[in-house]
């Protein structure tokens, strides 16, 4: 797909539903008693993988391609059925890690696999704590990666643990908390920095006994979850591409409607404001236990900043687009404490550095991040997205500001989290 320079960006966008929240709504809806209605569900490939897996586990899920409303007739915590075939999570790390927690508490065996990218990503980080809880889980190739085989626990029930996670990962935390639904006694997770807390918020909405205190969260099992309505806010990780584009393309002004601004996800807004961005909220409200707002962004003169420490988990998926933004900021941007980027859908440090360098940027990779000297004009190049949706979207935005053509290979991988991304971008692009 080819991208060219645009003059300005103007208009209003409603980004699709939040990916993390959509996954969790399908999972908890399937485990609840009664009906759960999810509105503004993200029809991205990852969330459709979660629906497919839960259907294989016997959940009754009404979902069609033409509607973003999904209705689930829950099976109850102990109502899932053994699947006839291997569960395939596709490209979705969230599905793989969260479902493993749930499946560790079931009374049947199951094999989980996924695409080539998922089979390279680290699963030792969930295998180890789940085993401590008494789960019978193994990596079939003995390399701490998928495929995973999960058998019924040899214990009568999993046992609660206090897990001090070495990584600030919502996927690890959520996996353990979901296993905790099936454990005897309390399950507690402490993480080095607070990661996204959608699982905690939604479990509370479904009636679970869960209590958070700083970076520590504890779940006490109770006999059932209760189905409910879940309105899904727009995904701030998808909005991030338009926020960045609005800031760097001259004379732009964009309104992004109904975006989730959960404080464990809004790091992108903090760092943009710190570098001089004109970003405002309107219509701030609360839906389904999550804060939302319309975001108004205007073209701004940005300066380089340092990004590291506890803010990293709150903007982890936005670092690729932040690297693009840094190329247009005056001075140096330092991104550190972000080595988790190496184990995402692609190695996002290497892929960003390689491709932005091709476009003429002054960027180098460090052990745990990147150094970017802003202000060098970008020129078009041929970009391999490595089939990573966040890489493809980041370079589509870089292409709007580059001299000449930017050609993105495997551009359709945006289907993972934002199938209509290119149409929405085209609609607001003015020449
Ligand atoms: C996610 C958590 C993050 C994020 C991923 C979605 C989630 O991963 O990168 O896109 O829904 O829990 P980690 O928690 O492993 O950092």
């Amino acid at each position: 797909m080819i991208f060219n320079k645009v003059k300005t960006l103007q208009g209003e966008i409603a980004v699709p539903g939040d990916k993390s929240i959509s996954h969790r709504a399908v999972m908890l809806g399937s485990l609840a008693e009664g009906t759960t209605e999810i509105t503004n569900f993200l029809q991205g490939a990852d969330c459709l993988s979660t629906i497919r897996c839960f259907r294989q586990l016997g959940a009754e899920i009404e979902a069609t391609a033409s509607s973003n409303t999904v209705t689930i007739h829950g099976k109850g915590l102990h109502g899932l059925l053994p699947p006839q075939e291997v569960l395939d999570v596709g490209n979705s790390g969230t599905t793989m890690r969260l479902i493993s927690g749930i499946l560790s508490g079931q009374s049947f065996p199951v094999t989980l696999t996924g695409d080539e990218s998922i089979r390279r990503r680290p699963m030792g980080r969930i295998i180890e704590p789940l085993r401590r809880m008494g789960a019978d889980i193994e990596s079939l190739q003995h390399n701490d990666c998928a495929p995973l085989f999960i058998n019924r626990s040899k214990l009568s029930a999993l046992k609660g643990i206090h897990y001090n996670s070495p990584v600030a990962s919502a996927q690890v935390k959520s996996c353990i908390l979901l296993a905790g639904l099936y454990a005897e006694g309390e399950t507690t997770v402490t993480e080095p920095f607070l990661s996204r807390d959608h699982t905690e918020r939604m479990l509370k909405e479904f009636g679970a006994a869960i209590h958070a205190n700083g970076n520590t969260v504890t779940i006490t099992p109770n006999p059932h979850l209760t189905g409910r309505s879940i309105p899904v806010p727009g995904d701030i990780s998808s909005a991030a591409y338009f926020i960045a584009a609005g800031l760097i393309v001259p004379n732009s002004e964009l309104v992004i409607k109904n975006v989730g601004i959960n404080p464990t996800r809004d790091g992108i807004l903090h760092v943009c404001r710190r570098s001089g961005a004109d970003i405002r909220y309107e219509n701030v409200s609360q839906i389904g236990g999550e804060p939302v707002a319309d975001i108004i962004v205007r073209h701004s003169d940005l300066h380089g900043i340092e990004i590291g420490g506890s803010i990293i988990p709150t903007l982890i998926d936005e670092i690729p687009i932040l690297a693009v933004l840094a190329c247009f900021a005056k001075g140096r941007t330092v991104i550190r404490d972000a080595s988790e980027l190496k184990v995402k859908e692609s190695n996002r440090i290497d892929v960003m550095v390689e491709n932005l360098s091709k476009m003429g940027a002054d960027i180098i990779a460090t052990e745990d991040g990147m150094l970017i000297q802003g202000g060098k004009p970008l020129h078009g190049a041929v970009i391999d997205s490595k089939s990573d949706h966040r890489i493809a979207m980041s370079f589509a935005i870089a292409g709007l500001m580059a001299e000449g053509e930017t050609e993105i290979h495997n551009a359709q991988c945006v289907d993972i989290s934002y199938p209509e991304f290119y149409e929405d971008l085209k609609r607001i692009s003015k020449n």
Side-chain angles (χ1 to χ4, degrees):
M1 194 170 281
I2 308 273
F3 295 85
N4 282 296
K5 205 166 181 158
V6 293
K7 264 214 184 81
T8 187
L9 300 173
Q10 297 288 334
E12 199 174 280
I13 299 156
V15 292
D18 187 275
K19 182 154 80 71
S20 294
I21 297 174
S22 296
H23 280 300
R24 286 155 171 83
V26 172
M27 293 181 185
L28 296 190
S30 299
L31 296 180
E33 286 165 23
T35 304
T36 290
E37 191 182 74
I38 313 169
T39 46
N40 198 31
F41 176 79
L42 169 62
Q43 300 266 3
D46 271 8
C47 299
L48 297 177
S49 292
T50 295
I51 289 190
R52 197 178 53 244
C53 289
F54 276 86
R55 279 183 172 150
Q56 280 180 261
L57 291 162
E60 273 174 63
I61 304 178
E62 293 170 34
T64 59
S66 58
S67 161
N68 295 337
T69 298
V70 171
T71 307
I72 306 181
H73 305 286
K75 304 302 280 183
L77 279 170
H78 298 282
L80 296 182
L81 300 170
Q84 299 300 308
E85 286 170 14
V86 167
L87 298 184
D88 184 347
V89 305
N91 191 245
S92 176
T94 307
T95 313
M96 175 66 91
R97 295 198 177 105
L98 271 58
I99 211 174
S100 295
I102 294 168
L103 293 173
S104 292
Q106 307 302 317
S107 56
F108 50 78
V110 48
T111 303
L112 282 163
T113 193
D115 70 6
E116 198 223 327
S117 152
I118 212 80
R119 282 185 272 116
R120 274 187 275 112
R121 296 180 65 186
M123 295 300 152
R125 54 179 60 192
I126 57 160
I127 293 174
E128 196 252 334
L130 287 174
R131 279 189 180 152
R132 280 206 227 168
M133 296 179 79
D136 187 352
I137 175 169
E138 65 173 317
S139 154
L140 287 175
Q141 316 275 349
H142 305 290
N143 58 355
D144 276 349
C145 293
L148 301 180
F149 176 69
I150 304 177
N151 210 342
R152 73 175 292 169
S153 172
K154 294 188 178 72
L155 306 177
S156 54
L158 299 180
K159 57 177 192 298
I161 57 167
H162 186 156
Y163 188 59
N164 279 302
S165 179
V167 277
S169 160
Q171 294 182 353
V172 171
K173 172 175 63 177
S174 304
C175 167
I176 300 165
L177 293 174
L178 291 169
L181 288 171
Y182 296 93
E184 264 169 10
E186 286 180 359
T187 297
T188 299
V189 183
T190 300
E191 36 182 4
F193 297 123
L194 184 62
S195 65
R196 65 191 67 189
D197 65 357
H198 304 301
T199 304
E200 297 90 305
R201 286 174 187 251
M202 203 183 290
L203 275 167
K204 203 173 271 170
E205 293 284 309
F206 276 84
I210 186 157
H211 176 72
N213 183 8
N215 300 353
T216 295
V217 55
T218 299
I219 186 160
T220 313
N222 60 354
H224 52 83
L225 301 177
T226 309
R228 48 159 295 129
S229 300
I230 299 285
V232 181
D235 196 327
I236 191 167
S237 297
S238 298
Y241 302 98
F242 298 112
I243 294 170
L247 290 173
I248 59 179
V249 176
N251 302 316
S252 296
E253 176 162 352
L254 296 174
V255 180
I256 313 161
K257 304 287 286 180
N258 186 39
V259 182
I261 51 164
N262 178 316
T264 61
R265 294 286 299 282
D266 69 352
I268 173 85
L269 302 171
H270 289 283
V271 299
C272 285
R273 284 192 180 123
R274 244 201 303 136
S275 46
D278 179 354
I279 297 176
R280 282 183 301 115
Y281 289 163
E282 265 177 17
N283 301 322
V284 179
S285 66
Q286 190 88 7
I287 61 167
E290 294 277 350
V292 296
D294 298 341
I295 295 178
I296 294 117
V297 55
R298 287 209 187 87
H299 173 265
S300 306
D301 291 327
L302 302 176
H303 52 82
I305 54 166
E306 300 213 354
I307 306 168
S310 63
I311 202 165
I312 293 293
T314 73
L315 48 67
I316 189 72
D317 291 339
E318 289 67 74
I319 295 179
I321 187 63
L322 278 171
V324 172
L325 207 57
C327 295
F328 299 94
K330 204 166 157 209
R332 198 166 83 127
T333 294
V334 183
I335 301 170
R336 55 184 150 71
D337 305 321
S339 48
E340 275 295 298
L341 291 180
K342 297 178 187 171
V343 292
K344 294 295 178 188
E345 287 84 327
S346 68
N347 179 332
R348 289 181 176 162
I349 296 181
D350 287 357
V351 177
M352 287 311 295
V353 170
E354 185 188 323
N355 285 311
L356 278 173
S357 300
K358 272 196 211 166
M359 295 182 81
D362 184 349
I363 177 168
I364 55 169
T366 61
E367 197 39 52
D368 62 353
M370 304 168 218
L371 293 180
I372 303 148
Q373 191 66 41
K376 275 189 83 183
L378 299 191
H379 53 75
V382 176
I383 307 296
D384 181 358
S385 71
K386 304 281 183 197
S387 298
D388 182 334
H389 53 136
R390 306 224 183 269
I391 300 294
M393 291 188 273
S394 297
F395 281 94
I397 302 304
L400 303 180
M401 288 292 288
E403 279 309 324
E405 276 184 5
T406 300
E407 183 177 340
I408 302 181
H409 287 183
N410 295 316
Q412 217 36 57
C413 59
V414 302
D415 285 351
I416 292 292
S417 63
Y418 195 163
E420 314 83 22
F421 176 71
Y422 299 119
E423 289 80 14
D424 283 355
L425 185 56
K426 199 165 168 202
R427 202 165 40 74
I428 55 165
S429 299
K430 315 284 170 199
N431 268 316

